Amino acid sequence: MRRSSWAVLFLVCAAALVTFAAVPAPQGTGYHLLKKVTLGGQGGWDYLTADPVSHRVFLSRGTHIMVVDADGKVVGDIPNLKGTHGAEIVNEFGRGFSSNGGSNSVGNHLRSKDARHNQRSKFAGGEWT
């Protein structure tokens, strides 16, 4: 009886080993690091938004949004924001929006480097103004 128990145990272990060996190894995702970019400036950043159309990254830096191209060069800046958390780009309308927690507002920015095109809408008393 003791020999048959060992034989059964051996067969179970061998079957488990064959089963696990037959499972293919997980494949890579295809993602890989192309380049590291070090961005200067004071303080940290909150959220970033990548725009696949313009190949730019928008980094919210608290008081402004830094615009960086695919080579890591700073190509623009959206200044004078209070507590900005992030940006969203709507290419169909040529606009970008920023969430500004410090001023309780949403910035509505035309797709331009000219900061004079910025407008703000405030949320006060449950309504947008």
Side-chain angles (χ1 to χ4, degrees):
M1 184 76 167
R2 194 168 188 198
R3 253 189 193 177
S4 63
S5 296
W6 280 106
V8 169
L9 181 62
F10 175 76
L11 290 175
V12 168
C13 289
L17 181 64
V18 168
T19 302
F20 288 121
V23 175
Q27 299 298 317
T29 62
Y31 292 107
H32 58 281
L33 180 65
L34 293 176
K35 179 201 278 189
K36 284 187 178 184
V37 176
T38 302
L39 300 172
Q42 292 181 333
W45 52 274
D46 204 347
Y47 293 105
L48 64 90
T49 299
D51 180 13
V53 174
S54 67
H55 303 285
R56 293 184 174 166
V57 175
F58 296 80
L59 293 146
S60 59
R61 304 289 306 254
T63 58
H64 63 107
I65 295 176
M66 181 187 295
V67 184
V68 181
D69 69 5
D71 295 322
K73 179 182 173 193
V74 177
V75 294
D77 194 72
I78 303 169
N80 305 321
L81 303 174
K82 293 182 181 175
T84 185
H85 297 295
E88 186 59 44
I89 309 303
V90 184
N91 287 303
E92 300 86 74
F93 300 112
R95 295 197 176 271
F97 298 91
S98 63
S99 166
N100 309 312
S103 62
N104 199 24
S105 67
V106 172
N108 179 358
H109 313 282
L110 291 176
R111 242 180 106 142
S112 169
K113 292 181 185 176
D114 190 351
R116 291 177 296 178
H117 293 293
N118 295 343
Q119 300 171 352
R120 299 215 179 24
S121 300
K122 288 196 173 207
F123 189 73
E127 294 191 14
W128 289 98
T129 58

Coordinates of all heavy atoms in Angstrom, one line a residue, residues 29-117:
T29 N 4.7 43.5 -23.2 CA 3.6 44.4 -23.6 C 4.0 45.1 -24.9 O 3.1 45.7 -25.5 CB 3.3 45.5 -22.5 OG1 4.5 46.2 -22.3 CG2 2.9 44.8 -21.2
G30 N 5.2 45.2 -25.2 CA 5.6 45.9 -26.4 C 6.1 47.3 -26.1 O 6.6 48.0 -26.9
Y31 N 5.8 47.8 -24.8 CA 6.2 49.1 -24.4 C 7.7 49.0 -24.0 O 8.2 48.1 -23.4 CB 5.4 49.6 -23.2 CG 4.0 49.9 -23.6 CD1 3.0 49.0 -23.2 CD2 3.6 51.0 -24.3 CE1 1.6 49.3 -23.5 CE2 2.3 51.3 -24.6 CZ 1.3 50.4 -24.2 OH 0.0 50.7 -24.5
H32 N 8.4 50.1 -24.3 CA 9.8 50.2 -23.9 C 10.2 51.6 -23.8 O 9.6 52.5 -24.4 CB 10.7 49.4 -24.8 CG 10.7 49.9 -26.2 ND1 9.7 49.5 -27.1 CD2 11.5 50.7 -26.9 CE1 9.9 50.0 -28.2 NE2 11.0 50.8 -28.2
L33 N 11.2 51.9 -23.0 CA 11.6 53.3 -22.7 C 12.4 53.8 -23.9 O 13.4 53.1 -24.3 CB 12.5 53.3 -21.5 CG 13.1 54.7 -21.1 CD1 11.9 55.6 -20.7 CD2 14.0 54.5 -19.9
L34 N 12.0 54.9 -24.5 CA 12.7 55.5 -25.6 C 13.8 56.5 -25.1 O 14.9 56.5 -25.6 CB 11.8 56.2 -26.6 CG 10.8 55.3 -27.3 CD1 9.9 56.1 -28.1 CD2 11.6 54.3 -28.2
K35 N 13.4 57.3 -24.1 CA 14.2 58.4 -23.7 C 13.8 58.9 -22.4 O 12.6 58.9 -22.0 CB 14.1 59.5 -24.7 CG 15.0 60.8 -24.4 CD 14.5 62.0 -25.0 CE 14.8 62.2 -26.4 NZ 14.5 63.6 -26.9
K36 N 14.7 59.3 -21.5 CA 14.4 60.0 -20.3 C 14.6 61.5 -20.4 O 15.6 61.9 -21.1 CB 15.3 59.5 -19.2 CG 15.0 58.1 -18.6 CD 15.8 57.8 -17.4 CE 15.5 56.4 -16.9 NZ 16.2 56.1 -15.7
V37 N 13.7 62.2 -19.9 CA 13.8 63.7 -20.0 C 13.7 64.3 -18.6 O 12.8 63.9 -17.8 CB 12.6 64.3 -20.8 CG1 12.6 65.8 -20.8 CG2 12.6 63.7 -22.2
T38 N 14.6 65.1 -18.2 CA 14.6 65.8 -16.9 C 14.1 67.2 -17.1 O 14.6 68.0 -17.9 CB 16.0 65.9 -16.3 OG1 16.6 64.5 -16.2 CG2 16.0 66.5 -15.0
L39 N 13.0 67.5 -16.4 CA 12.4 68.8 -16.5 C 12.7 69.6 -15.3 O 12.6 69.2 -14.2 CB 10.8 68.7 -16.6 CG 10.3 67.9 -17.8 CD1 8.8 67.6 -17.7 CD2 10.7 68.6 -19.1
G40 N 13.1 70.8 -15.6 CA 13.5 71.7 -14.5 C 12.3 72.4 -13.9 O 11.2 72.0 -14.1
G41 N 12.5 73.5 -13.2 CA 11.4 74.2 -12.6 C 11.3 73.9 -11.1 O 11.8 72.9 -10.6
Q42 N 10.7 74.8 -10.4 CA 10.5 74.7 -9.0 C 9.3 73.8 -8.7 O 8.3 73.9 -9.4 CB 10.3 76.0 -8.3 CG 11.6 76.9 -8.3 CD 11.4 78.2 -7.7 OE1 10.3 78.7 -7.6 NE2 12.5 78.7 -7.2
G43 N 9.3 73.1 -7.6 CA 8.2 72.3 -7.2 C 8.0 71.1 -8.0 O 8.7 70.8 -8.9
G44 N 6.9 70.4 -7.6 CA 6.6 69.1 -8.3 C 5.5 69.4 -9.4 O 5.3 70.5 -9.8
W45 N 4.9 68.3 -9.7 CA 3.8 68.4 -10.7 C 2.7 67.5 -10.3 O 2.9 66.6 -9.5 CB 4.2 68.2 -12.1 CG 5.0 66.9 -12.3 CD1 6.3 66.7 -12.1 CD2 4.5 65.6 -12.7 NE1 6.7 65.4 -12.3 CE2 5.5 64.7 -12.7 CE3 3.2 65.2 -13.0 CZ2 5.4 63.4 -13.0 CZ3 3.0 63.8 -13.3 CH2 4.1 63.0 -13.4
D46 N 1.5 67.8 -10.8 CA 0.3 67.0 -10.4 C 0.0 66.0 -11.5 O 0.7 65.0 -11.6 CB -0.9 67.9 -10.2 CG -2.0 67.3 -9.2 OD1 -1.9 66.1 -9.0 OD2 -2.8 68.1 -8.8
Y47 N -0.9 66.3 -12.4 CA -1.2 65.3 -13.5 C -0.6 65.8 -14.7 O -0.3 67.0 -14.9 CB -2.7 65.3 -13.7 CG -3.5 64.6 -12.5 CD1 -4.2 65.4 -11.6 CD2 -3.4 63.3 -12.3 CE1 -4.9 64.8 -10.6 CE2 -4.1 62.7 -11.2 CZ -4.8 63.5 -10.4 OH -5.4 62.9 -9.3
L48 N -0.4 64.8 -15.6 CA 0.1 65.2 -17.0 C -0.9 64.7 -18.0 O -1.6 63.7 -17.8 CB 1.5 64.7 -17.2 CG 1.7 63.2 -17.3 CD1 1.5 62.6 -18.7 CD2 3.1 62.9 -16.8
T49 N -0.9 65.4 -19.1 CA -1.8 65.0 -20.2 C -1.0 65.0 -21.5 O -0.3 65.9 -21.8 CB -2.9 66.1 -20.4 OG1 -3.7 66.1 -19.2 CG2 -3.8 65.7 -21.6
A50 N -1.1 63.9 -22.2 CA -0.3 63.7 -23.5 C -1.3 63.9 -24.6 O -2.4 63.4 -24.6 CB 0.2 62.3 -23.6
D51 N -1.0 64.8 -25.5 CA -1.8 65.1 -26.7 C -1.2 64.4 -27.9 O -0.1 64.8 -28.4 CB -1.8 66.6 -26.9 CG -2.7 67.0 -28.1 OD1 -3.4 66.1 -28.7 OD2 -2.6 68.1 -28.6
P52 N -1.8 63.3 -28.4 CA -1.3 62.6 -29.5 C -1.3 63.3 -30.8 O -0.5 63.0 -31.7 CB -2.2 61.3 -29.6 CG -3.5 61.7 -28.9 CD -3.1 62.8 -27.9
V53 N -2.1 64.3 -30.9 CA -2.2 65.1 -32.2 C -1.0 66.0 -32.3 O -0.3 66.1 -33.3 CB -3.5 65.9 -32.3 CG1 -3.5 66.8 -33.5 CG2 -4.7 64.9 -32.3
S54 N -0.7 66.8 -31.3 CA 0.4 67.8 -31.3 C 1.7 67.2 -30.8 O 2.8 67.8 -30.9 CB 0.1 69.0 -30.5 OG 0.0 68.7 -29.1
H55 N 1.7 66.0 -30.3 CA 2.9 65.3 -29.7 C 3.5 66.1 -28.6 O 4.7 66.3 -28.5 CB 3.9 65.0 -30.8 CG 3.4 64.1 -31.9 ND1 3.1 62.8 -31.7 CD2 3.0 64.4 -33.2 CE1 2.6 62.3 -32.9 NE2 2.5 63.3 -33.7
R56 N 2.6 66.7 -27.8 CA 3.0 67.5 -26.6 C 2.5 66.9 -25.3 O 1.5 66.2 -25.3 CB 2.6 68.9 -26.8 CG 3.3 69.6 -28.0 CD 2.9 71.0 -28.1 NE 3.7 71.6 -29.1 CZ 3.5 72.8 -29.7 NH1 2.5 73.5 -29.3 NH2 4.3 73.2 -30.6
V57 N 3.2 67.2 -24.3 CA 2.8 66.8 -22.9 C 2.5 68.1 -22.1 O 3.3 69.0 -22.1 CB 3.8 65.9 -22.2 CG1 3.4 65.6 -20.8 CG2 4.0 64.6 -23.0
F58 N 1.4 68.1 -21.4 CA 1.0 69.2 -20.6 C 1.1 68.8 -19.1 O 0.4 67.9 -18.7 CB -0.5 69.6 -20.9 CG -0.6 70.1 -22.3 CD1 -0.7 69.2 -23.4 CD2 -0.7 71.5 -22.6 CE1 -0.9 69.7 -24.7 CE2 -0.8 71.9 -23.9 CZ -0.9 71.0 -24.9
L59 N 2.0 69.5 -18.4 CA 2.3 69.2 -17.0 C 1.8 70.3 -16.1 O 2.2 71.5 -16.3 CB 3.8 69.1 -16.8 CG 4.5 67.9 -17.4 CD1 5.9 68.3 -17.9 CD2 4.5 66.7 -16.5
S60 N 0.9 70.0 -15.2 CA 0.4 71.0 -14.3 C 1.4 71.2 -13.2 O 1.8 70.2 -12.5 CB -1.0 70.7 -13.8 OG -1.0 69.4 -13.1
R61 N 1.8 72.4 -12.9 CA 2.8 72.7 -12.0 C 2.3 73.6 -10.8 O 3.1 74.4 -10.2 CB 4.0 73.4 -12.6 CG 4.7 72.7 -13.8 CD 5.4 71.5 -13.4 NE 6.4 71.6 -12.4 CZ 7.7 71.6 -12.7 NH1 8.2 71.5 -13.9 NH2 8.6 71.7 -11.7
G62 N 1.0 73.6 -10.6 CA 0.5 74.4 -9.4 C 0.1 75.8 -9.8 O -1.1 76.2 -9.7
T63 N 1.0 76.6 -10.3 CA 0.7 78.0 -10.7 C 0.7 78.2 -12.2 O 0.4 79.2 -12.7 CB 1.7 79.0 -10.1 OG1 3.0 78.6 -10.6 CG2 1.7 79.0 -8.6
H64 N 1.1 77.1 -13.0 CA 1.1 77.2 -14.4 C 1.1 75.8 -15.0 O 1.3 74.8 -14.3 CB 2.3 78.0 -14.9 CG 3.6 77.3 -14.5 ND1 4.4 76.7 -15.4 CD2 4.3 77.2 -13.3 CE1 5.5 76.2 -14.8 NE2 5.4 76.5 -13.6
I65 N 0.9 75.7 -16.3 CA 0.9 74.4 -17.0 C 2.1 74.5 -18.0 O 2.1 75.4 -18.8 CB -0.4 74.1 -17.7 CG1 -1.5 73.9 -16.7 CG2 -0.2 72.9 -18.6 CD1 -2.8 73.7 -17.3
M66 N 3.1 73.6 -17.9 CA 4.2 73.6 -18.7 C 3.9 72.7 -19.9 O 3.4 71.6 -19.8 CB 5.4 73.0 -17.9 CG 6.7 72.9 -18.7 SD 8.0 72.0 -17.8 CE 8.3 73.1 -16.4
V67 N 4.2 73.2 -21.1 CA 4.0 72.4 -22.4 C 5.3 72.0 -22.9 O 6.2 72.8 -23.1 CB 3.3 73.3 -23.4 CG1 2.9 72.5 -24.6 CG2 2.0 73.9 -22.8
V68 N 5.5 70.7 -23.1 CA 6.7 70.1 -23.5 C 6.5 69.3 -24.8 O 5.5 68.6 -24.9 CB 7.3 69.1 -22.4 CG1 8.6 68.5 -22.8 CG2 7.4 69.9 -21.1
D69 N 7.5 69.4 -25.7 CA 7.3 68.6 -27.0 C 7.9 67.2 -26.8 O 8.4 66.9 -25.8 CB 7.9 69.4 -28.2 CG 9.4 69.5 -28.1 OD1 10.1 68.9 -27.2 OD2 10.0 70.2 -29.0
A70 N 7.9 66.5 -27.9 CA 8.3 65.1 -27.9 C 9.8 65.0 -27.6 O 10.3 63.9 -27.2 CB 8.0 64.4 -29.2
D71 N 10.6 66.0 -27.9 CA 12.0 66.0 -27.6 C 12.4 66.4 -26.2 O 13.6 66.4 -25.8 CB 12.8 66.9 -28.6 CG 12.6 66.4 -30.0 OD1 12.7 65.1 -30.2 OD2 12.5 67.2 -30.9
G72 N 11.4 66.8 -25.4 CA 11.6 67.2 -24.0 C 11.9 68.7 -23.9 O 12.3 69.1 -22.8
K73 N 11.7 69.4 -24.9 CA 12.0 70.9 -24.9 C 10.7 71.6 -24.5 O 9.6 71.3 -25.0 CB 12.4 71.3 -26.3 CG 12.6 72.8 -26.4 CD 13.0 73.2 -27.8 CE 13.1 74.7 -27.9 NZ 13.1 75.1 -29.3
V74 N 10.8 72.5 -23.6 CA 9.7 73.3 -23.1 C 9.3 74.3 -24.3 O 10.1 75.1 -24.7 CB 10.0 74.1 -21.8 CG1 8.8 75.0 -21.5 CG2 10.3 73.2 -20.7
V75 N 8.1 74.1 -24.8 CA 7.7 74.9 -26.0 C 6.6 75.9 -25.6 O 6.2 76.7 -26.5 CB 7.2 74.0 -27.1 CG1 8.4 73.2 -27.7 CG2 6.1 73.1 -26.7
G76 N 6.0 75.9 -24.4 CA 5.0 76.8 -24.1 C 4.7 76.8 -22.6 O 5.2 75.9 -21.8
D77 N 3.9 77.7 -22.1 CA 3.6 77.8 -20.7 C 2.2 78.5 -20.6 O 2.0 79.5 -21.3 CB 4.6 78.6 -20.0 CG 4.5 78.5 -18.5 OD1 4.8 77.4 -18.0 OD2 4.1 79.4 -17.8
I78 N 1.3 78.0 -19.8 CA 0.1 78.7 -19.5 C 0.2 79.2 -18.1 O 0.1 78.5 -17.1 CB -1.1 77.7 -19.7 CG1 -1.1 77.1 -21.1 CG2 -2.4 78.4 -19.4 CD1 -2.0 76.0 -21.3
P79 N 0.4 80.5 -17.9 CA 0.7 81.1 -16.6 C -0.5 81.5 -15.8 O -1.7 81.4 -16.3 CB 1.6 82.3 -17.0 CG 1.0 82.8 -18.3 CD 0.5 81.5 -19.0
N80 N -0.3 82.0 -14.6 CA -1.3 82.7 -13.8 C -2.4 81.8 -13.4 O -3.6 82.2 -13.5 CB -1.8 84.0 -14.4 CG -0.6 84.9 -14.7 OD1 0.3 85.0 -14.0 ND2 -0.7 85.6 -15.9
L81 N -2.2 80.5 -13.1 CA -3.2 79.6 -12.6 C -3.0 79.4 -11.1 O -1.9 79.4 -10.6 CB -3.1 78.3 -13.4 CG -3.2 78.4 -14.9 CD1 -2.9 77.0 -15.5 CD2 -4.5 79.0 -15.3
K82 N -4.1 79.2 -10.4 CA -4.1 79.0 -9.0 C -4.4 77.6 -8.6 O -5.6 77.2 -8.8 CB -5.0 80.0 -8.3 CG -4.5 81.4 -8.4 CD -5.4 82.4 -7.6 CE -5.0 83.8 -7.8 NZ -5.9 84.7 -7.2
G83 N -3.5 76.8 -8.2 CA -3.7 75.5 -7.8 C -4.2 74.5 -8.9 O -5.1 73.7 -8.7
T84 N -3.6 74.7 -10.1 CA -4.0 73.9 -11.2 C -3.7 72.4 -11.0 O -2.6 72.1 -10.5 CB -3.4 74.4 -12.5 OG1 -4.0 73.6 -13.6 CG2 -1.9 74.3 -12.6
H85 N -4.6 71.5 -11.3 CA -4.4 70.1 -11.1 C -4.1 69.4 -12.4 O -3.4 68.4 -12.4 CB -5.7 69.5 -10.5 CG -6.0 70.0 -9.1 ND1 -5.2 69.8 -8.0 CD2 -7.1 70.8 -8.7 CE1 -5.8 70.4 -7.0 NE2 -6.9 71.0 -7.4
G86 N -4.7 69.8 -13.5 CA -4.5 69.1 -14.7 C -5.1 69.8 -15.9 O -5.7 70.8 -15.7
A87 N -4.8 69.3 -17.1 CA -5.3 69.9 -18.3 C -6.0 68.8 -19.2 O -5.6 67.6 -19.1 CB -4.1 70.5 -19.1
E88 N -6.9 69.2 -20.0 CA -7.5 68.3 -20.9 C -7.6 69.0 -22.3 O -7.9 70.2 -22.3 CB -8.9 67.9 -20.5 CG -9.6 66.9 -21.4 CD -8.8 65.6 -21.4 OE1 -8.3 65.1 -20.4 OE2 -8.7 65.1 -22.5
I89 N -7.2 68.4 -23.3 CA -7.1 68.9 -24.7 C -8.3 68.4 -25.5 O -8.5 67.2 -25.5 CB -5.8 68.6 -25.3 CG1 -4.6 68.9 -24.4 CG2 -5.6 69.3 -26.7 CD1 -4.5 70.3 -24.0
V90 N -9.0 69.3 -26.2 CA -10.1 68.9 -27.0 C -9.7 69.5 -28.4 O -10.0 70.6 -28.8 CB -11.4 69.5 -26.6 CG1 -12.6 69.0 -27.5 CG2 -11.7 69.2 -25.1
N91 N -9.0 68.6 -29.2 CA -8.5 69.0 -30.5 C -9.6 69.4 -31.5 O -9.3 70.3 -32.3 CB -7.6 67.9 -31.1 CG -6.3 67.8 -30.3 OD1 -5.6 68.8 -30.3 ND2 -6.0 66.7 -29.8
E92 N -10.7 68.8 -31.4 CA -11.8 69.1 -32.4 C -12.2 70.6 -32.3 O -12.7 71.1 -33.3 CB -13.0 68.2 -32.1 CG -12.8 66.7 -32.2 CD -12.3 66.1 -30.9 OE1 -13.1 66.0 -30.0 OE2 -11.1 65.8 -30.9
F93 N -12.1 71.2 -31.1 CA -12.5 72.6 -30.9 C -11.3 73.5 -30.8 O -11.5 74.7 -30.6 CB -13.4 72.7 -29.7 CG -14.7 71.8 -29.9 CD1 -14.9 70.7 -29.1 CD2 -15.6 72.1 -30.8 CE1 -16.0 70.0 -29.2 CE2 -16.8 71.4 -31.0 CZ -17.0 70.3 -30.2
G94 N -10.1 73.0 -30.9 CA -8.9 73.9 -30.7 C -8.8 74.5 -29.3 O -8.4 75.6 -29.2
R95 N -9.2 73.7 -28.3 CA -9.2 74.3 -27.0 C -8.6 73.3 -26.0 O -8.6 72.1 -26.2 CB -10.7 74.6 -26.5 CG -11.3 75.7 -27.3 CD -12.5 76.2 -26.6 NE -13.1 77.3 -27.3 CZ -12.8 78.6 -27.1 NH1 -11.8 78.9 -26.3 NH2 -13.4 79.5 -27.8
G96 N -8.2 73.9 -24.9 CA -7.7 73.1 -23.7 C -8.4 73.6 -22.5 O -8.8 74.8 -22.4
F97 N -8.5 72.8 -21.5 CA -9.2 73.2 -20.3 C -8.2 72.8 -19.1 O -7.6 71.8 -19.1 CB -10.5 72.5 -20.1 CG -11.5 72.8 -21.2 CD1 -11.6 72.1 -22.3 CD2 -12.3 73.9 -21.1 CE1 -12.4 72.4 -23.3 CE2 -13.2 74.3 -22.1 CZ -13.3 73.5 -23.2
S98 N -8.2 73.7 -18.1 CA -7.5 73.4 -16.9 C -8.4 73.4 -15.7 O -9.3 74.2 -15.6 CB -6.3 74.4 -16.7 OG -6.8 75.7 -16.5
S99 N -8.1 72.5 -14.8 CA -8.8 72.4 -13.5 C -8.0 73.2 -12.5 O -6.9 72.8 -12.2 CB -9.0 71.0 -13.1 OG -9.4 70.9 -11.8
N100 N -8.5 74.3 -11.9 CA -7.8 75.1 -11.0 C -8.5 75.1 -9.6 O -9.4 75.9 -9.4 CB -7.7 76.6 -11.6 CG -7.2 76.6 -13.0 OD1 -6.3 75.9 -13.3 ND2 -8.0 77.3 -13.9
G101 N -8.0 74.3 -8.8 CA -8.6 74.1 -7.4 C -8.4 75.3 -6.5 O -9.3 75.6 -5.7
G102 N -7.3 76.0 -6.7 CA -7.0 77.2 -5.8 C -7.9 78.3 -6.0 O -8.3 79.1 -5.1
S103 N -8.4 78.5 -7.3 CA -9.3 79.6 -7.6 C -10.8 79.1 -7.8 O -11.6 79.8 -8.2 CB -8.9 80.4 -8.8 OG -8.8 79.5 -9.9
N104 N -11.0 77.8 -7.6 CA -12.3 77.1 -7.8 C -12.8 77.5 -9.2 O -13.9 78.0 -9.4 CB -13.3 77.6 -6.7 CG -14.4 76.7 -6.6 OD1 -14.4 75.5 -7.0 ND2 -15.5 77.2 -6.1
S105 N -12.0 77.2 -10.3 CA -12.3 77.6 -11.6 C -11.9 76.6 -12.6 O -11.0 75.7 -12.3 CB -11.8 79.0 -12.0 OG -10.3 78.9 -12.0
V106 N -12.4 76.7 -13.8 CA -11.9 75.9 -15.0 C -11.4 76.9 -16.0 O -12.1 77.9 -16.4 CB -13.1 75.1 -15.6 CG1 -12.6 74.4 -16.9 CG2 -13.6 74.1 -14.6
G107 N -10.2 76.8 -16.4 CA -9.6 77.6 -17.4 C -10.0 77.1 -18.8 O -9.9 75.9 -19.1
N108 N -10.3 78.0 -19.7 CA -10.7 77.7 -21.1 C -9.7 78.3 -22.0 O -9.7 79.6 -22.1 CB -12.1 78.2 -21.3 CG -12.6 77.9 -22.7 OD1 -11.9 77.4 -23.6 ND2 -13.8 78.3 -23.0
H109 N -8.8 77.6 -22.5 CA -7.6 78.1 -23.2 C -7.7 77.8 -24.7 O -7.8 76.7 -25.1 CB -6.3 77.6 -22.6 CG -6.3 77.6 -21.1 ND1 -6.0 78.7 -20.4 CD2 -6.5 76.6 -20.2 CE1 -6.0 78.4 -19.1 NE2 -6.4 77.2 -19.0
L110 N -7.6 78.9 -25.5 CA -7.5 78.6 -27.0 C -6.1 78.0 -27.2 O -5.2 78.2 -26.5 CB -7.6 79.9 -27.7 CG -9.0 80.6 -27.7 CD1 -8.9 81.9 -28.5 CD2 -10.0 79.7 -28.4
R111 N -6.1 77.2 -28.3 CA -4.8 76.5 -28.7 C -3.9 77.6 -29.2 O -3.8 77.8 -30.4 CB -5.1 75.5 -29.7 CG -4.7 74.1 -29.2 CD -5.0 73.1 -30.2 NE -3.7 72.7 -30.8 CZ -3.4 71.5 -31.1 NH1 -4.3 70.6 -31.0 NH2 -2.2 71.2 -31.6
S112 N -3.2 78.3 -28.3 CA -2.3 79.3 -28.7 C -1.3 79.5 -27.6 O -1.6 79.2 -26.4 CB -3.1 80.6 -28.9 OG -2.2 81.7 -29.0
K113 N -0.1 79.9 -27.9 CA 0.9 80.2 -26.8 C 0.6 81.5 -26.2 O 1.2 81.9 -25.2 CB 2.3 80.2 -27.4 CG 2.7 78.9 -27.9 CD 4.1 78.9 -28.5 CE 4.5 77.6 -29.1 NZ 5.8 77.7 -29.7
D114 N -0.3 82.3 -26.8 CA -0.6 83.6 -26.2 C -1.6 83.5 -25.0 O -2.7 83.1 -25.2 CB -1.3 84.5 -27.3 CG -1.4 85.9 -26.9 OD1 -1.2 86.3 -25.7 OD2 -1.8 86.7 -27.8
A115 N -1.1 83.8 -23.9 CA -1.9 83.7 -22.6 C -3.1 84.6 -22.6 O -3.9 84.5 -21.7 CB -1.0 83.9 -21.4
R116 N -3.1 85.7 -23.4 CA -4.2 86.6 -23.4 C -5.6 86.0 -23.8 O -6.6 86.5 -23.6 CB -4.0 87.8 -24.3 CG -2.8 88.7 -23.8 CD -2.6 89.8 -24.8 NE -2.1 89.2 -26.0 CZ -1.8 89.9 -27.1 NH1 -1.9 91.2 -27.1 NH2 -1.4 89.3 -28.2
H117 N -5.5 84.8 -24.4 CA -6.7 84.1 -24.9 C -7.3 83.3 -23.7 O -8.3 82.6 -24.0 CB -6.4 83.2 -26.0 CG -6.0 83.9 -27.3 ND1 -6.9 84.8 -27.9 CD2 -4.8 84.0 -27.9 CE1 -6.3 85.3 -29.0 NE2 -5.0 84.9 -29.0

